[in-house]
């Protein structure tokens, strides 16, 4: 389980697996959203560009453009607007910070447990 908050930890965890990994950007109500795609791009940018498909390339490029101004980039998205209408703008801003958390959530036997 990853976010910008634990990006480095997620990348390190994946690298230590020494396995192929597929990223599933969750989206919202079966619709793609920019924040999940940007996170997938951030993770993908931490690895060599071997056999990168078009979706991965788009995510990588989008993150490269948005890197350094994630919060500002997301402000025009539908998902941001929906969440901001609920008064959680400061929470969104916090979630755009990089590498604040050093743990990773891992799904095992139907439960999420933390790996530090």
């Amino acid at each position: 389980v990853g976010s910008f908050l634990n990006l480095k930890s997620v990348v390190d965890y994946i690298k230590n697996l020494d396995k192929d990994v597929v990223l599933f950007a969750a989206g919202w109500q079966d619709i793609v959203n920019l924040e999940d795609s940007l996170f997938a791009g951030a993770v993908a940018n931490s690895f060599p560009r071997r056999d990168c498909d078009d979706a991965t390339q788009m995510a990588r490029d989008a993150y490269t453009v948005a890197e350094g101004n994630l919060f500002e980039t997301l402000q025009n998205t539908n998902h941001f607007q929906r969440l901001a209408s609920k008064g959680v703008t400061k929470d969104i801003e916090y979630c755009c910070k990089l590498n604040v958390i050093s743990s990773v959530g891992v799904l095992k036997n139907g439960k999420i447990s933390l790996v530090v």
Side-chain angles (χ1 to χ4, degrees):
V1 178
S3 71
F4 293 114
L5 294 169
N6 69 343
L7 174 62
K8 182 182 180 320
S9 298
V10 168
V11 168
D12 291 345
Y13 181 80
I14 292 170
K15 286 179 178 178
N16 286 331
L17 288 176
D18 196 30
K19 296 179 180 181
D20 291 339
V21 173
V22 176
L23 298 176
F24 290 97
W28 187 70
Q29 292 190 341
D30 296 327
I31 299 172
V32 67
N33 63 30
L34 187 58
E35 64 270 18
D36 290 346
S37 298
L38 290 176
F39 179 72
V43 173
N45 273 346
S46 299
F47 294 89
R49 283 188 190 257
R50 292 177 271 168
D51 301 323
C52 185
D53 65 8
D54 289 352
T56 304
Q57 187 60 48
M58 286 190 303
R60 290 174 84 123
D61 290 348
Y63 179 71
T64 298
V65 170
E67 189 176 14
N69 62 344
L70 292 170
F71 182 70
E72 293 79 11
T73 299
L74 295 175
Q75 287 183 17
N76 292 321
T77 65
N78 293 333
H79 200 59
F80 182 97
Q81 295 300 317
R82 183 180 67 77
L83 292 173
S85 74
K86 299 183 184 301
V88 296
T89 305
K90 294 241 183 246
D91 298 295
I92 300 168
E93 187 172 16
Y94 174 73
C95 290
C96 289
K97 294 183 183 299
L98 296 175
N99 305 316
V100 174
I101 299 170
S102 61
S103 57
V104 176
V106 178
L107 183 64
K108 288 185 180 181
N109 301 322
K111 295 184 180 186
I112 296 176
S113 57
L114 290 180
V115 176
V116 181

